[in-house]
Amino acid sequence: MSSSEQARPEVPFVVIPDTPSVLVTVTDEALREVASGIGTIETTVTPGIYRIEQRFAGAVATRFVEVGDEAFTERLPLPRVPAPAPVRRTATSHDEHGAAALRWSRESTHGTGAPSLMVLLRNLRPALRLDPYALQIAADSGAAVDGGEVGWRVDEQQGWSAWSAPLAPGGYRLRLRRPSGEGLPLAQALWVSEGWTTLVFVSNSTRGAQPQHASVEMAPLGSGWSPVDEELGLAREAALSGLRQGIDLISDQQLLPMLDSRRADPFLGVVGAHAMLLDHRPDLRRLDEVVRRLTPHLPGHPDVAALRTLTDGPPARVTSPPMLAASCRLLIAADAADPGVIEDDSVAEGVAERLVGRGVWTTWLEQERWPGAVAARGGPVPRGAGGARPLAADAVSRVQAYVQEIADLEGRAVADVLHTVSRDELCRRTGLPHRPVERAIEGLRETGDG
């Protein structure tokens, strides 16, 4: 082999995705990674065949290209991304759904006045069976507030169902009217802020409504949903995808407008802040600035309170659960170190004890909605597959079982475990707030085992 064949000259290689938050990976003919990064890739390669893979908001697109002896530049169209919201340039952007969002975010389907909450359920693909009354909106207490079927507006031909109404500021929950396919009566946290409309977009699939994959936005009260800024819409979907995977998938080019979106959509700033926290070395000074800018626009918002646990601002105190599961984890961790961050006997405390891992949103098992179940703490608990293990047990029992398991595995007395494993550490390991952990410890000591 000649020296010229051994050292083939490299040429500039540039690929430019259609939006900055696309994760691009380039591999050569031997499947060796040549370059990888978010956004534009600029490198040099030897002539040959290369595979370009794009990942964005759960969608993957792959293409093969041939590089010759001259500089190579390729613009990459956005992968066909499905999105719960009718964001333009996504695979599921339907004009009729956008029109429904525009209308019902300004008009109420239930009650009178400008709506402070809108929920839009929509088919992402035509011809899917749509149950227009699959969803229910309830107050923080669990009592339904949507007026039943008469509270919804439906267009089965266009494949959407909408609910909107003026609600008092505070915590609410979104649930399936009937238990999910797994038979679980689950609920997701919602929050309504003074002067804003919370917009919830839910996709309908072959398995029915999918609230766990919802997209949430906010708009100034009365102005309604606006699809104008496509880049921010795509940035939201990228950030939510990153939160689902626990990976930082948002570029600085898109993150900065998200963090400064408080006047147009402050919840976009909350999502951006959590996306920023996925960085292995997050900029807490920038986070502090974001929280200070968001607080006047979202007073009392539990997701902002959760972010505040990482800053030097006033201590957080919440009674309602935050919308994002990442926010809920921050509050639980803060409550372990500073009891009272999650107020005792509050809805937020009850939710923290019955969390279910289900995507990016705070989701919990509504134990009181089990047929024949006892709502009181410690009542009958449904069991999982085969009846071997409960799907969700009383939080106190879970902590006690955990302590007993440590004692059994290590051949130690329960009292010794309680002496060496602090309450704060038990909170961290079990993912529970301080109150059920304290009750579990007290119970173990009262039985004489601790």
Side-chain angles (χ1 to χ4, degrees):
M1 183 181 291
S2 68
S3 58
S4 61
E5 290 175 319
Q6 290 176 336
R8 301 175 67 186
E10 293 193 342
V11 298
F13 179 92
V14 179
V15 291
I16 307 168
D18 198 31
T19 194
S21 287
V22 173
L23 176 62
V24 180
T25 303
V26 181
T27 53
D28 63 14
E29 295 174 69
L31 301 181
R32 293 185 297 255
E33 185 176 298
V34 172
S36 181
I38 293 179
T40 299
I41 296 290
E42 296 182 70
T43 187
T44 58
V45 300
T46 57
I49 304 295
Y50 291 87
R51 178 178 182 267
I52 303 173
E53 179 188 85
Q54 293 186 87
R55 291 182 177 270
F56 179 78
V60 181
T62 301
R63 66 197 308 173
F64 290 88
V65 298
E66 183 175 4
V67 178
D69 296 327
E70 298 180 355
F72 177 90
T73 299
E74 185 88 348
R75 289 191 172 273
L76 306 175
L78 185 72
R80 298 285 291 169
V81 180
V87 180
R88 297 186 188 278
R89 291 166 57 204
T90 63
T92 51
S93 175
H94 303 310
D95 289 342
E96 60 271 18
H97 295 174
L102 283 166
R103 178 178 181 183
W104 299 117
S105 59
R106 295 170 181 167
E107 300 178 36
S108 292
T109 68
H110 181 60
T112 58
S116 55
L117 177 65
M118 183 205 75
V119 178
L120 181 68
L121 173 65
R122 67 191 197 97
N123 277 343
L124 298 190
R125 291 190 291 110
L128 287 176
R129 180 183 176 277
L130 175 73
D131 177 359
Y133 312 113
L135 299 172
Q136 185 179 69
I137 296 94
D140 224 359
S141 64
V145 298
D146 64 350
E149 294 183 2
V150 297
W152 292 75
R153 294 292 181 271
V154 179
D155 191 319
E156 294 189 9
Q157 182 176 358
Q158 294 182 352
W160 59 261
S161 174
W163 184 93
S164 57
L167 296 176
Y172 294 86
R173 59 183 71 177
L174 178 68
R175 59 164 74 120
L176 292 173
R177 201 173 297 273
R178 289 177 290 277
S180 67
E182 298 96 333
L184 300 176
L186 302 176
Q188 284 177 219
L190 296 176
W191 183 265
V192 170
S193 291
E194 183 76 40
W196 296 91
T197 303
T198 299
L199 312 162
V200 185
F201 297 93
V202 180
S203 59
N204 185 64
S205 74
T206 54
R207 293 178 293 175
Q210 301 291 300
Q212 69 271 25
H213 301 311
S215 184
V216 176
E217 305 182 22
M218 294 180 73
L221 188 66
S223 69
W225 179 72
S226 174
V228 175
D229 198 325
E230 297 174 14
E231 284 302 326
L232 277 179
L234 293 172
R236 184 194 314 273
E237 296 306 320
L240 290 174
S241 178
L243 289 176
R244 291 186 190 101
Q245 302 174 65
I247 304 171
D248 181 10
L249 292 180
I250 193 79
S251 69
D252 282 346
Q253 185 176 341
Q254 287 185 306
L255 178 63
L256 294 178
M258 290 179 69
L259 297 178
D260 196 34
S261 62
R262 60 195 182 278
R263 291 183 177 85
D265 181 354
F267 194 69
L268 189 59
V270 173
V271 173
H274 278 291
M276 183 175 66
L277 290 173
L278 292 174
D279 191 294
H280 68 284
R281 294 181 63 184
D283 187 343
L284 295 183
R285 180 177 297 180
R286 176 185 287 178
L287 177 67
D288 183 66
E289 294 173 359
V290 171
V291 171
R292 283 192 289 105
R293 291 199 300 262
L294 286 174
T295 298
H297 297 276
L298 300 177
H301 199 299
D303 284 273
V304 176
L307 293 170
R308 201 163 63 240
T309 65
L310 300 177
T311 71
D312 295 328
R317 293 290 184 268
V318 300
T319 58
S320 295
M323 286 195 284
L324 285 167
S327 295
C328 201
R329 290 191 293 270
L330 287 179
L331 288 169
I332 291 172
D335 184 78
D338 180 17
V341 167
I342 299 175
E343 290 198 12
D344 295 346
D345 300 318
S346 66
V347 174
E349 183 186 68
V351 166
E353 295 180 11
R354 301 194 302 275
L355 289 175
V356 175
R358 198 174 173 86
V360 300
W361 306 109
T362 297
T363 306
W364 68 96
L365 178 70
E366 292 185 298
Q367 190 171 326
E368 66 276 11
R369 293 183 68 209
W370 281 97
V374 176
R377 209 182 297 270
V381 177
R383 305 190 74 81
R389 185 181 178 187
L391 290 165
D394 173 70
V396 171
S397 301
R398 297 207 310 268
V399 177
Q400 291 177 338
Y402 178 76
V403 172
Q404 186 64 59
E405 185 176 1
I406 294 175
D408 294 342
L409 287 173
E410 298 182 1
R412 296 195 288 160
V414 168
D416 185 38
V417 175
L418 294 177
H419 180 71
T420 56
V421 182
S422 68
R423 181 207 66 189
D424 291 5
E425 181 63 16
L426 283 174
C427 289
R428 186 188 68 80
R429 293 186 188 183
T430 59
L432 290 167
H434 77 280
R435 284 259 291 180
V437 174
E438 289 174 350
R439 289 196 297 268
I441 293 171
E442 291 169 3
L444 288 171
R445 287 175 174 157
E446 286 175 1
T447 60
D449 293 327

